Amino acid sequence: MVTGVLCLVTPKLMNSKNIIIIGGGISGLATLHGLKAKFADRPDVKIILLEKADHLGGTASSQHFPEGIFEQGPNGFLDSRQETLNLCEELGLKQQLVRAADAADKKFLLLGGQLEEFPSDLKSFLGFRPLPFWDKIRLPLEIFVRKGSDPEETVYEFGVRRFGERFTKLFLDPFVTGIYGGDARELNLRAAFPRLHELEQNYGSLFRALMKLRQAKRGEGRQVSVTPKGKLTSFLRGMSAVGETIAAKYPDSIYLKHEVHPLEASGTGFKVEAGNASFYADKVFLCVPAFVAAGLVRNVSIEFSGLLERIPYAPMAVVGLMYERRSFSHPPEGFGYLVPSYEQKGVIGVLFDSNMFPNRASGDKVMIRLMLGGVNNPGIVREDHSAIRQLAREELAERFQLKAQPLKEFCVVHPRAIPQYDRSYARLLPALEQESARQENLFLVANYLKGVAFNDCVINARKAVLRCAI
Ligand SMILES: Cc1cc2nc3c(=O)[nH]c(=O)nc-3n(C[C@H](O)[C@H](O)[C@H](O)COP(=O)(O)OP(=O)(O)OC[C@H]3O[C@@H](n4cnc5c(N)ncnc54)[C@H](O)[C@@H]3O)c2cc1C
């Protein structure tokens, strides 16, 4: 792998084609692997990846320490997408895959200071006290609600229209905050949850959709759900396993500590400068957040840059706290809990990582991660790390009557963590797609298009690789 100083000018060579990938998060990594496979029998095609950090992985980075692992970003992905499973298999990571323990299937909501178990079936739903009786019996009437026609409808509006306000506040709001760090009143249903939109449009009702799909799939023995399917899955060494494996597989193609400067158009391609190195690229894959991509394409197309710049992001802080198990009178159970925004806690969700993946903390210890901030608490980025850690400790102390101090603390702040598929984004997207199509030698592969999940990044990369002809 190439790190540090390198002064190299790769001019456009006769008969040679250069592809440059900018950014070594999962989007860039899946792109690199896909392109290497696609052009394996084309020695004339040179592919390199430029990454500004000193390691690969981007948000999906794990911090290893003697007693466990702290994940700075995602703690896993759902095993429902074959594209990600194929990537793992091709990288030889299949044996490394670990599925979350069944004990972590239980999920909780923090409501009025109490942890309430998230209902997992009809019986527990009917017994779920925070949702009043009338709101429960109203639910089947969803079948009679007309389908929506407003392309800018928010998740909140959709929820209230179909299921009622109380249901939306209790279930949809924390779901949105948990995935996007976002605000259900702002996120656009169609862009943020395309499957819900599609089911409503195709079947007229989510209940009807569920029944019809169940009927159709009954013979196949497959499960049907309107929420994301699959089991949370990670790697024994944590999420940085993909970056570590790719770094070992393609050492000569990866340039770490190479922060790319704005691109310059050059012939039909681009001059790409990073540190004091200069490259020529026939094709460039931008696998960086939208606000970085905006800067990179500024000199190529000011319109493209302007559109990318307008994509909003939510800030997020992730705090990891490791305790002795015996510090808890009742050790935390299940997956963790989400906090609806009306609780106004500043905490979005709390994940019991070592319940999901026991090796996140050695035997007698417990690893808990707290997500703080989000669009409803943007001030988090101005707090210093010790204040954020304190907020996290206080949350757990209150929830579990904890008196002991953590054995280990970790904190990472992502000032612009997750793109927001909000109303303004919904208006922006057609223009962005149009402009992107005009830039035939520039490819956008990132979580601000077609989904923010780890799986979505892998799928986006795969699609972009298929489109790339050289
Ligand atoms: C806190 C958090 C928790 C999450 N949890 C989950 C989860 O549990 N499950 C899930 O499916 N998804 C989760 N996500 C979402 C998912 O992790 C991300 O969408 C995904 O990892 C983004 O990958 P990426 O490669 O598109 O971007 P990034 O990971 O941001 O990678 C971009 C890379 O580009 C590099 N870069 C930036 N500028 C330059 C430059 N000028 N030159 C060169 N390199 C540059 C960066 O250093 C970085 O390595 C989470 C996200 C966050 C923030």
Side-chain angles (χ1 to χ4, degrees), residues 17 30 187 205 220 245 251 258 267 271 287 289 296 305 318 333 382 406 430 443 460:
K17 299 283 183 191
L187 282 202
S205 135
E220 302 168 30
T245 307
H258 276 67
K271 187 171 157 203
C287 305
L296 292 176
S305 172
V318 185
E333 259 191 283
R382 289 188 295 276
F443 295 79
N460 288 344

Side-chain angles (χ1 to χ4, degrees), residues 198-312:
E198 219 177 271
L199 291 176
E200 188 200 34
Q201 293 305 311
N202 293 344
Y203 296 91
S205 135
L206 297 190
F207 268 115
R208 195 174 298 129
L210 203 60
M211 288 187 307
K212 291 256 160 93
L213 290 172
R214 245 188 212 149
Q215 266 170 11
K217 296 199 175 156
R218 194 170 285 152
E220 302 168 30
R222 282 203 277 153
Q223 278 203 335
V224 175
S225 160
V226 292
T227 51
K229 289 175 288 185
K231 185 96 174 162
L232 184 71
T233 301
S234 181
F235 304 94
L236 272 174
R237 283 188 50 72
M239 292 301 283
S240 59
V242 178
E244 290 163 3
T245 307
I246 296 242
K249 192 171 170 76
Y250 305 113
D252 301 335
S253 304
I254 294 165
Y255 292 70
L256 297 177
K257 297 188 191 165
H258 276 67
E259 180 168 3
V260 178
H261 308 311
L263 307 177
E264 299 289 343
S266 167
T268 55
F270 307 94
K271 187 171 157 203
V272 182
E273 291 192 327
N276 59 356
S278 180
F279 306 87
Y280 174 82
D282 294 281
K283 310 263 179 205
V284 170
F285 284 74
L286 294 165
C287 305
V288 289
F291 51 92
V292 177
L296 292 176
V297 303
R298 198 172 52 213
N299 301 334
V300 175
S301 161
I302 195 77
E303 293 80 21
F304 200 17
S305 172
L307 292 169
L308 287 162
E309 204 155 55
R310 280 166 47 200
I311 297 178

